[in-house]
Amino acid sequence: MNSDETGRAIAERHAALEITHDEAVVEGLQKRLAERIARGDTCGPFIAAIADRDGNILSEAANSVVDSGQSHCHAEMNAISLAEQKLGTWNLSGRGLTLYTTAEPCMMCLGGILWCGIERVVYGVSTADVERITGFDEGFKPKWREEFARRGIKVAGPLLEDLGRSVLADYVRRAGVVYQCKRAGTPQS
């Protein structure tokens, strides 16, 4: 699905049924990601945003691993960093913040979310789909939802999986970089 087809699919979805706020945010992220991929940006197939309890977007960021040459520059980590800069603190707790992301967070990003104080996570595509479609290794994440719940972090997702899978497939079709270290026992790019 190219960016024009993605746009038409979104318009048809809006016309056909009412969508939730969470779905609207994830859908917007998927649309902006599809546009970036279609332009040939090297952002990787992920984008994230952080919103306050009133739904105002505090930060939005794409992956910048390839552009920055830094392995930790995932969309979620970049969005967290921007929110921390904007609010002037590393402690994001007590603010009712939600992290929205186009895909289930990887192992590293789950740690970042846990430690920064985000209170809610909403994601698009599941880890299983990310790994199956792109070949990314999302890491070992046993019982992460239960661990988040135990710490008071709410999770919603997967949402709008068909749209998210089409964006990931377009990334692969356009020969997007699958950035990960080569080591024994992991898929190789």
Side-chain angles (χ1 to χ4, degrees):
M1 181 178 287
N2 64 37
S3 62
D4 289 337
E5 291 169 334
T6 300
R8 281 194 298 277
I10 290 170
E12 289 169 7
R13 178 171 159 66
H14 283 204
L17 59 120
E18 226 172 279
I19 63 171
T20 68
H21 175 73
D22 287 344
E23 288 174 323
V25 174
V26 170
E27 187 173 63
L29 291 173
Q30 294 287 15
K31 180 180 179 188
R32 287 190 292 287
L33 180 59
E35 291 166 354
R36 291 181 72 143
I37 291 168
R39 283 194 313 262
D41 286 4
T42 56
C43 62
F46 309 104
I47 195 167
I50 295 177
D52 66 18
R53 64 176 46 98
D54 296 322
N56 301 305
I57 301 296
L58 299 177
S59 65
E60 181 175 311
N63 255 20
S64 60
V65 170
V66 173
D67 288 343
S68 70
Q70 298 177 38
S71 62
H72 69 279
C73 289
H74 289 197
E76 297 90 339
M77 300 301 286
N78 289 341
I80 290 167
S81 179
L82 290 172
E84 289 170 341
Q85 289 172 23
K86 184 171 188 170
L87 296 172
T89 181
W90 59 268
N91 185 356
L92 301 179
S93 64
R95 300 168 191 271
L97 300 182
T98 298
L99 183 138
Y100 292 93
T101 182
T102 53
E104 183 178 329
C106 73
M107 180 181 185
M108 176 185 68
C109 294
L110 289 173
I113 292 164
L114 177 73
W115 297 122
C116 77
I118 291 289
E119 296 174 28
R120 189 165 172 266
V121 175
V122 178
Y123 68 91
V125 183
S126 71
T127 289
D129 282 335
V130 169
E131 291 181 339
R132 180 180 53 77
I133 295 167
T134 67
F136 278 99
D137 177 1
E138 295 294 283
F140 178 65
K141 305 186 307 183
K143 299 182 182 180
W144 74 271
R145 283 177 167 272
E146 292 87 352
E147 289 299 321
F148 269 34
R150 191 170 70 79
R151 290 168 170 85
I153 303 169
K154 295 179 176 102
V155 178
L159 297 177
L160 307 175
E161 294 173 279
D162 289 341
L163 176 59
R165 286 189 288 259
S166 72
V167 173
L168 291 174
D170 190 42
Y171 180 78
V172 171
R173 271 193 301 279
R174 293 173 185 271
V177 177
V178 177
Y179 39 85
Q180 59 192 12
C181 294
K182 295 181 185 207
R183 63 181 147 263
T186 62
Q188 303 301 305
S189 57

